Amino acid sequence: MQTKSVLGQAEADTIVEAARAEASKHGWAVAIALVDDGGHPLALARLDGASPVSAYIAIEKARTSALGRRESKAYEDMINGGRTAFLSAPLAGTLEGGVPIFVDGQVVGAVGVSGVKSEQDAQVARAGVQSVAA
């Protein structure tokens, strides 16, 4: 039998708050989504001024990252690199801004962010991930 860590409410609060602090430091109006390793939502924060669609996109970026066990940017790069057949994959968040959370070498969830430039979304997501990742 294998065992692995799982994200609890305390970790969810820590992750979202760290991501929120990074976004606020730069004045970025974003949505921050946290999902478990199966892509199921655990937390969502849409900061003041963030567009409604950013919440949907943030969840999908997080889901893509959790299920794929890699940053969502990898899929964006594949598609932009000419592998357009990947557009038919059952993932809706194939844009930069989704970052997996690894604990003891296993993915336990992911953070997705949407609302500013893609690299800024990823920066906010990484701040959340770094608050708990080992």
Side-chain angles (χ1 to χ4, degrees):
M1 175 89 38
Q2 296 181 8
T3 61
K4 74 175 197 176
S5 299
V6 297
L7 296 170
Q9 189 62 55
E11 292 81 20
D13 292 344
T14 297
I15 291 164
V16 171
E17 186 49 43
R20 181 193 314 264
E22 181 68 16
S24 295
K25 178 171 74 172
H26 297 284
W28 295 336
V30 298
I32 302 159
L34 173 65
V35 300
D36 66 14
D37 62 328
H40 307 286
L42 296 175
L44 175 67
R46 184 165 60 109
L47 306 187
D48 292 345
S51 69
V53 75
S54 66
Y56 172 81
I57 295 169
I59 291 168
E60 291 305 321
K61 286 179 178 183
R63 181 175 288 130
T64 294
S65 184
L67 294 175
R69 308 302 200 238
R70 65 188 68 179
E71 289 200 24
S72 57
K73 183 180 187 327
Y75 298 107
E76 181 178 11
D77 291 344
M78 271 191 263
I79 294 163
N80 288 341
R83 193 165 176 210
T84 56
F86 203 83
L87 289 168
S88 65
L91 301 171
T94 54
L95 301 169
E96 184 175 9
V99 179
I101 303 167
F102 285 91
V103 175
D104 297 327
Q106 295 184 342
V107 171
V108 297
V111 178
V113 177
S114 179
V116 287
K117 293 179 182 178
S118 291
E119 62 271 8
Q120 295 167 333
D121 288 343
Q123 178 180 333
V124 173
R126 284 187 198 104
V129 169
Q130 290 167 356
S131 70
V132 297

